[in-house]
Amino acid sequence: GLETVRTTGTHTQGQGARAHGSMAAGGDPAVSIDEFVLEKHGNYFKKHMHALPQHYKTMDTNRLTLLYFCISGLDILGMLDDIDKDTIIEFIYFYMSPLPEHGGFYGYPRVEFDSAELDRSNNQPHIANTYVALVMLIMLGDDLKRVNREAVACSLRKWQLPDGSFCCVHGISSLDSESDIRFVYCAACICYTLDLWHAVDMDRMRDFLVASQSYDGAFGMGPTCESHGGCTYCAVAALSMMGRLHDLPGKEQLIDWCIKRQHFGFQGRIEKPMDSCYSFWVGASLDLLGVGGFLDGNSCARFLQECEFRQVGGFMKFPDSQVPDLLHSYFSVAGLSLCGLLPEMHARLNMTRRAFDAAPAGLFKLPPSGREWS
């Protein structure tokens, strides 16, 4: 791990280490955003909005999540005006559940069934697709007035489990799906965006998150699970939106764990290879913890440059991977933001600061019992 933390440039507005200037810390030439093929990356996202390669067929029930990678990626790149926003807004609302007690967004087109019972059991709004639908609508300039907030609140109550965690779908029962820390994050995003904190038990949410903290200060998928960069982001961001980050135990140990995940690029777990997507997961965790300046932006950007697929755009998981994919392409672009090379991210919701600041008044509320921490 990094026993000595190296920083580059200045820490501006809590957002990652800067990689600007002619030389970075340690005498390495500073990476310029002009070294990346941004136009090709924009085209990569645009193409995937209209047609997906065959290997994405296993993700057919998560179409909105795949669209989110494209929309948010274009927003970070400053290319969102290149697409038909109104058409995409209508496309997203097409996936919204019409059921008043079963609110949220599907990840796939609703299927017609012969009975209302079969409809409720099989057409299941998904907590992650509901989160990405809401933030995409905000990025595209929608005011969310068409979202049935109380219907979403009904789903949140069903999605929350007795241990405080959340499942991702609730058809016949909460046993229909997996449940872990990822969906606690999604629930926090939905509550933070729509002010639905009354629909969840926040004390149980917090208890589950703290129980998922490992001996090294970081977080796993649930209690007794290995610490993981993505899970750590989910926990830190959720606690931040809940206004409960201030009373998280072991923050210094957690920060130490995050800093030591950078070995040029970032790894997601101890003794694992560096992976492009953790530039966001771990980098954003540092940002939310108020120590984004500890991210070595120049080193991280150099690693992402090695993962760049310059022929057609996109980013690969590893430098020696064969092809890019949407997930790693998006989180690499988000990572470049945290490195200071692209516009600022709002780390809590994983969207641009521009979109967050332009959202209609009344959105984004901490619960009454929460408070900001920095």
Side-chain angles (χ1 to χ4, degrees), residues 276-295:
S276 59
C277 71
Y278 293 105
S279 59
F280 175 81
W281 296 124
V282 183
S285 298
L286 289 168
D287 181 64
L288 289 166
L289 290 165
V291 291
F294 285 164
L295 186 158

Side-chain angles (χ1 to χ4, degrees), residues 44 77 144 189 224 267 309 315 358 362 366:
Y44 177 85
L77 291 169
L144 304 187
C189 289
T224 74
Q267 59 181 181
F309 197 78
F315 289 80
L366 267 66

Side-chain angles (χ1 to χ4, degrees), residues 2-320:
L2 293 177
E3 299 303 326
T4 302
V5 178
R6 292 171 292 144
T7 60
T8 56
T10 59
H11 186 202
T12 306
Q13 296 180 343
Q15 185 79 6
R18 308 292 94 182
H20 303 308
S22 58
M23 296 294 285
D28 297 329
V31 179
S32 166
I33 194 60
D34 296 333
E35 298 177 40
F36 293 85
V37 289
L38 300 186
E39 194 68 33
K40 288 185 178 180
H41 299 321
N43 290 334
Y44 177 85
F45 290 128
K46 292 172 192 174
K47 289 176 183 176
H48 281 75
M49 287 173 59
H50 297 287
L52 290 169
Q54 185 179 10
H55 61 266
Y56 286 103
K57 64 183 179 182
T58 58
M59 292 195 69
D60 191 54
T61 56
N62 287 294
R63 294 187 191 184
L64 286 187
T65 298
L66 296 174
L67 179 62
Y68 161 78
F69 294 147
C70 299
I71 296 295
S72 192
L74 289 170
D75 195 19
I76 297 169
L77 291 169
M79 300 179 185
L80 207 52
D81 289 337
D82 295 351
I83 62 176
D84 186 342
K85 297 179 185 177
D86 290 339
T87 297
I88 299 169
I89 287 171
E90 295 308 312
F91 177 84
I92 294 169
Y93 274 117
F94 175 76
Y95 285 73
M96 186 170 66
S97 168
L99 303 176
E101 76 288 356
H102 215 53
F105 289 78
Y106 308 118
Y108 53 89
R110 188 161 170 253
V111 180
E112 295 294 332
F113 288 93
D114 295 333
S115 71
E117 182 180 355
L118 283 173
D119 186 15
R120 284 192 300 272
S121 299
N122 291 280
N123 287 315
Q124 302 175 5
H126 190 287
I127 193 169
N129 286 292
T130 299
Y131 149 60
V132 297
L134 294 173
V135 294
M136 278 194 291
L137 288 169
I138 292 168
M139 291 175 207
L140 294 165
D142 187 72
D143 59 12
L144 304 187
K145 288 184 178 178
R146 282 191 271 173
V147 176
N148 186 335
R149 283 166 162 78
E150 281 311 306
V152 176
C154 287
S155 287
L156 284 166
R157 294 184 186 102
K158 294 176 185 177
W159 287 330
Q160 189 166 25
L161 304 180
D163 66 356
S165 68
F166 288 77
C167 58
C168 60
V169 294
H170 187 292
I172 299 172
S173 77
S174 61
L175 300 178
D176 293 349
S177 75
E178 57 191 338
S179 61
D180 55 60
I181 207 165
R182 296 171 299 171
F183 307 127
V184 178
Y185 168 74
C186 293
C189 289
I190 294 166
C191 292
Y192 180 64
T193 302
L194 298 178
D195 193 18
L196 292 178
W197 295 108
H198 65 277
V200 300
D201 187 325
M202 283 185 50
D203 290 335
R204 284 192 291 144
M205 282 177 74
R206 181 198 176 276
D207 290 346
F208 177 82
L209 291 169
V210 173
S212 302
Q213 190 173 25
S214 187
Y215 69 92
D216 52 19
F219 294 81
M221 292 285 265
T224 74
C225 293
E226 179 186 9
S227 293
H228 183 280
C231 299
T232 294
Y233 166 79
C234 288
V236 172
L239 288 167
S240 176
M241 287 181 280
M242 293 165 64
R244 299 286 186 91
L245 192 55
H246 63 276
D247 62 1
L248 175 68
K251 280 193 283 290
E252 288 187 6
Q253 196 176 9
L254 169 58
I255 290 169
D256 181 71
W257 185 91
C258 290
I259 291 169
K260 289 178 178 175
R261 299 287 65 75
Q262 185 168 18
H263 301 260
F264 183 31
F266 282 90
Q267 59 181 181
R269 288 180 286 163
I270 294 173
E271 298 299 327
K272 292 292 183 177
M274 294 175 292
D275 177 331
S276 59
C277 71
Y278 293 105
S279 59
F280 175 81
W281 296 124
V282 183
S285 298
L286 289 168
D287 181 64
L288 289 166
L289 290 165
V291 291
F294 285 164
L295 186 158
D296 186 337
N298 203 65
S299 175
C300 181
R302 285 286 179 213
F303 176 75
L304 292 174
Q305 199 170 35
E306 292 190 5
C307 297
E308 187 180 36
F309 197 78
R310 297 183 65 86
Q311 293 92 321
V312 298
F315 289 80
M316 301 175 291
K317 179 182 177 75
F318 305 123
D320 58 355

